[in-house]
Amino acid sequence: MKIRVGILFGGVSVEHEVSVISGLQALHALDEKIYEAIPIYITKEGIWYTGAALKNIDAYKNLAALLNECETVRLVREAEGKFILEKTETKLFGKKQAAEIDVAFPVTHGTNGEDGILQGFLQLLGIPFVGPDVLSSAIGMDKVVMKNILRDSGLPIVKHIWFYKSQWLEDQEAWMQKAEEEIGYPIIVKPANLGSSVGISKAKNRVDLESAVDYAAQFAHKLLLEAVVEQLTEINCSVLGDQESAEASVCEEVLGNDEILSYKDKYEGNSSKGMSGASRKIPAEISEEKTKEIQSLAKEVFYVLGCTGVARIDFLLDIKTEKVYVNEINSIPGSLSFYLWEPTGKSFTELVDILVKLALKRTREQLEISYAYDSNLFAIHGGTKGKLGAKGTQT
C-alpha cells in the first residue's frame, strides 16, 4: 500500500506564490511507486482545497476556474486515528471524505506556514509531518530571536539592533541615533519575520533609513537593522537530517542583479523554477578550506536551532577579511534546496523520500515519550472543592 502524502502549499503569506511553485515541485518529485501525492492548496484567505487539478502549475493562471474544479476541505483526526481531508460542503447523503493522508508535507513559506503556526496545528492532530517542529520553525522565522540564540551560542553574526514599529513611531530620533552609534551607515533594514527578501532595503543616510523602516513596517511590526558587509559574497549551504545526524550540501554563490538579492531576482526571472532558477554558481568559487568552514557552521546552526528535515543556511562572506557571518536560516527553503543536493548525487526524488522518512522517524520517537502522569486528582481531592493544594487555594 502506498504512503499517502498530503503536500500543503500556498497559505496566508506574502510568499504565497513561491510556496505554490515549491509545493508542486515537491509533489511531482515524489516516487509514484511508493507514495500517493495529494495536493492541499491553502488560499490567501486561509481556505483549504484539494483536487487533482491543483497539480498543474499552469492552472493557477485562472485561479477561480481552478478552484471551481476542487473541493474545500479541512484536516481532521478521526477517533480511530485516521487523518482525513473532510469536505466542508457535501450534498445530501454525499461522501464526506475527500481523501485520507498518512503524512503531512508542508511546503509553506513565510507567515502562518513556516513560523510554527501550521506545525502546531499538525502536531496537535498527531499527524506525522515533514520539516521542523513548532519551536525550531518559530525561531527560524523570527530573525531577532534567531540572531540572539546564534550570538549566545558563539556563532558569528553581524552587528544589529531591533525594535517594534510602535517604538520607532514613539521616538524615531532615539532609534536613528542608536543605529548610527551601534551600527553606522550603510544599514540593512528588514522585517523580522519574512523571507524571500520581502521588505528589505539599504539605508545610506537618515533620509534613506526613515524610508527603509517605513517600507519594512508594511510587512511586520518587529524590525531588524543590520550592519552591511561592504565587500560581500553571499554563500548558501543546505543541511539535511535531524538532531541525531545531519549532512551539509555543496555551497552555492548567489549572484544578484542589485546590491540586495531581491524577490524579483530570486523568483520572477523564471517563475516555474522557484529558487532553483535564480542566478548562482554551484559549487561556489571559494577555497576548499572556506567551503568546509561554511559547511561546518551550517550544521552547527541546524543543530543549535533544533531543526529536522532540510534547511538552507545563508552566509555573508567578507571578501576583504575572509570572515564568515551567519545571515539566516530558511527552515522550509525555496524549492527545498534540491539543486544543492543534486551535485552530491541525491536526486529531488531521493531528497523528498528522505524527508518523509525523517517525519515518520520523529513520530516513532515521540510515541516513546510519556506525556501523561498516572494520577487522579479528582479522586484524591474529592472534586472541585478538594483540600488546599500546593498551587491553589481552597474554594
Side-chain angles (χ1 to χ4, degrees), residues 18-86:
V18 181
S19 173
V20 172
I21 295 168
S22 295
L24 292 179
Q25 287 175 325
L27 183 147
H28 291 298
L30 282 168
D31 187 340
E32 294 181 355
K33 296 190 294 292
I34 303 172
Y35 302 105
E36 178 186 350
I38 300 164
I40 305 171
Y41 170 63
I42 306 172
T43 70
K44 293 181 179 181
E45 295 73 37
I47 303 170
W48 292 32
Y49 284 85
T50 194
L54 293 167
K55 297 180 181 182
N56 180 9
I57 185 67
D58 291 330
Y60 291 82
K61 295 174 182 177
N62 188 341
L63 188 59
L66 170 61
L67 298 184
N68 196 45
E69 297 182 48
C70 303
E71 298 274 1
T72 56
V73 294
R74 55 177 166 251
L75 182 58
V76 176
R77 177 175 181 158
E78 294 196 328
E80 58 269 33
K82 294 198 308 182
F83 303 98
I84 69 165
L85 291 173
E86 183 181 77

Side-chain angles (χ1 to χ4, degrees), residues 161-369:
I161 64 169
W162 67 275
F163 49 77
Y164 291 105
K165 177 182 177 180
S166 58
Q167 293 177 299
W168 171 263
L169 295 174
E170 194 174 290
D171 198 343
Q172 183 174 311
E173 174 64 30
W175 285 109
M176 282 189 171
Q177 187 173 337
K178 182 178 177 68
E180 290 166 346
E181 290 175 355
E182 296 189 19
I183 301 175
Y185 297 109
I187 296 170
I188 296 290
V189 181
K190 303 177 178 180
N193 55 1
L194 285 180
S196 296
S197 299
V198 174
I200 298 178
S201 54
K202 180 189 285 188
K204 299 179 180 179
N205 51 53
R206 279 201 166 197
V207 174
D208 288 350
L209 182 57
E210 185 175 357
S211 299
V213 171
D214 289 343
Y215 175 54
Q218 296 176 37
F219 303 98
H221 293 294
K222 186 191 284 188
L223 307 173
L224 176 67
L225 275 59
E226 295 178 335
V228 171
V229 178
E230 293 282 12
Q231 297 183 48
L232 165 70
T233 297
E234 292 187 58
I235 305 293
N236 299 339
C237 181
S238 182
V239 177
L240 173 65
D242 58 15
Q243 289 126 34
E244 287 185 6
S245 176
E247 60 181 309
S249 72
V250 301
C251 293
E252 66 169 331
E253 182 178 344
V254 183
L255 307 174
N257 296 319
D258 305 314
E259 291 178 313
I260 299 172
L261 187 66
S262 67
Y263 180 99
K264 184 174 181 179
D265 289 330
K266 290 181 176 179
Y267 302 107
E268 293 184 10
N270 195 330
S271 60
S272 67
K273 292 189 177 181
M275 269 298 290
S276 66
S279 298
R280 64 187 77 250
K281 290 180 184 177
I282 302 176
E285 293 184 354
I286 55 177
S287 68
E288 183 178 349
E289 180 184 3
K290 195 59 61 177
T291 296
K292 289 180 178 178
E293 178 186 350
I294 290 172
Q295 289 173 328
S296 176
L297 284 170
K299 288 198 290 185
E300 192 170 352
V301 171
F302 191 86
Y303 284 129
V304 163
L305 300 184
C307 293
T308 299
V310 67
R312 193 189 76 238
I313 296 88
D314 300 346
F315 296 89
L316 308 176
L317 173 59
D318 189 324
I319 298 172
K320 186 176 180 180
T321 65
E322 293 197 340
K323 185 170 177 59
V324 177
Y325 300 94
V326 181
N327 187 28
E328 63 183 24
I329 188 170
N330 298 270
S331 60
I332 305 179
S335 301
L336 298 179
S337 293
F338 76 87
Y339 49 89
L340 291 176
W341 291 101
E342 287 181 331
T344 71
K346 284 187 178 68
S347 68
F348 201 172
T349 295
E350 289 175 293
L351 175 64
V352 293
D353 179 62
I354 292 169
L355 293 176
V356 173
K357 288 176 178 175
L358 284 168
L360 295 171
K361 176 189 174 203
R362 177 172 58 195
T363 299
R364 289 194 301 269
E365 291 171 345
Q366 289 173 339
L367 291 173
E368 297 172 359
I369 300 172

